[in-house]
Amino acid sequence: MTKLEEWDWRFRNLNEVESFLLAIFSIAVKAIPLFFLLPNYSILVIPAVILAATIAVIPHELAHRQYARKYGCFSRFTLNFTGFLATTIINALPFFGLLFLSGYTLISCRFFSMSKEIEGKSAAVGPLTNIIISVLSFLLIGYVTQTVAFFLYEIAAFNAAVAFFNLLPFWILDGLKVFRWNVGIWIVMIISSVVLMYFTGEL
């Protein structure tokens, strides 16, 4: 076993809490370039981004997990070392706008083959959760103090970006599963995420 394979094995065998913490860290590194680009908010950037990353990752993955478990499937959040390392490096780059999510919810249905509908719905609930959080956070901005508004803005922006990335219809992303299940729902969801990214300055 190579060192890379050893680290991949270690990461796959982490418990869910450890996996969530590492996934949050891999997104929160986005605060590094923001810390220098937004000097007026330098004290708030790191906690705001960590909070936004937490709210973007955990509800998204728990929505996947709980929906799959509703149908009797085994489901847990996990990640591998190579994916974690790659997403952490990419997210830390100051000139790269798109936000990458490290980790995924493993779903295994032992007693029956997962139907296209169940697969599509269990995939859709993750980015749908991000879209709802983004909308609610954005709508609340005008009713709070400037400091709270800054936190809400980061939460809205992070959730919009995570929703968009996960809705891309390729590889193992949620978007491909939603697309295969219902193209109309996929179109509505990805347009919603793009609109939210525009209003939160992610585009």
Side-chain angles (χ1 to χ4, degrees):
M1 181 183 290
T2 66
K3 278 291 182 183
L4 184 58
E5 290 172 336
E6 179 185 345
W7 277 101
D8 276 336
W9 179 86
R10 289 183 180 182
F11 268 58
R12 284 195 301 270
N13 285 277
L14 293 171
N15 63 49
E16 278 192 304
V17 173
E18 293 169 330
S19 296
F20 272 126
L21 289 174
L22 287 169
I24 291 166
F25 171 79
S26 72
I27 291 181
V29 295
K30 202 71 176 175
I32 296 173
L34 291 175
F35 184 84
F36 297 101
L37 293 173
L38 300 172
N40 294 333
Y41 291 100
S42 59
I43 297 176
L44 297 176
V45 165
I46 292 178
V49 172
I50 291 173
L51 177 64
T54 302
I55 294 175
V57 172
I58 293 181
H60 174 109
E61 299 300 342
L62 288 180
H64 284 317
R65 189 185 73 171
Q66 295 310 117
Y67 194 90
R69 288 183 178 182
K70 174 183 174 183
Y71 289 94
C73 302
F74 168 80
S75 181
R76 71 181 293 270
F77 181 71
T78 186
L79 71 166
N80 60 58
F81 176 69
T82 51
F84 166 77
L85 186 62
T87 53
T88 302
I89 293 172
I90 293 172
N91 287 335
L93 297 175
F95 53 82
F96 200 85
L98 191 59
L99 187 69
F100 282 85
L101 177 63
S102 173
Y104 62 97
T105 297
L106 175 66
I107 299 175
S108 177
C109 303
R110 296 176 57 188
F111 304 111
F112 60 92
S113 297
M114 183 182 290
S115 69
K116 187 181 294 185
E117 180 181 1
I118 294 174
E119 182 183 51
K121 287 181 178 179
S122 63
V125 293
L128 177 61
T129 301
N130 293 123
I131 289 171
I132 292 171
I133 293 173
S134 182
V135 169
L136 292 176
S137 300
F138 188 75
L139 291 176
L140 287 171
I141 289 174
Y143 302 94
V144 296
T145 65
Q146 186 175 3
T147 300
V148 176
F150 179 74
F151 277 81
L152 287 174
Y153 185 86
E154 289 300 318
I155 291 170
F158 264 66
N159 275 275
V162 169
F164 173 76
F165 172 70
N166 277 274
L167 284 167
L168 295 176
F170 69 95
W171 195 37
I172 60 172
L173 298 177
D174 298 328
L176 182 58
K177 299 168 188 175
V178 178
F179 186 88
R180 287 171 177 167
W181 163 54
N182 192 310
V183 176
I185 289 177
W186 175 81
I187 290 173
V188 171
M189 291 182 69
I190 198 162
I191 289 176
S192 298
S193 67
V194 170
V195 170
L196 286 167
M197 287 179 71
Y198 172 78
F199 280 109
T200 56
E202 292 295 299
L203 286 180

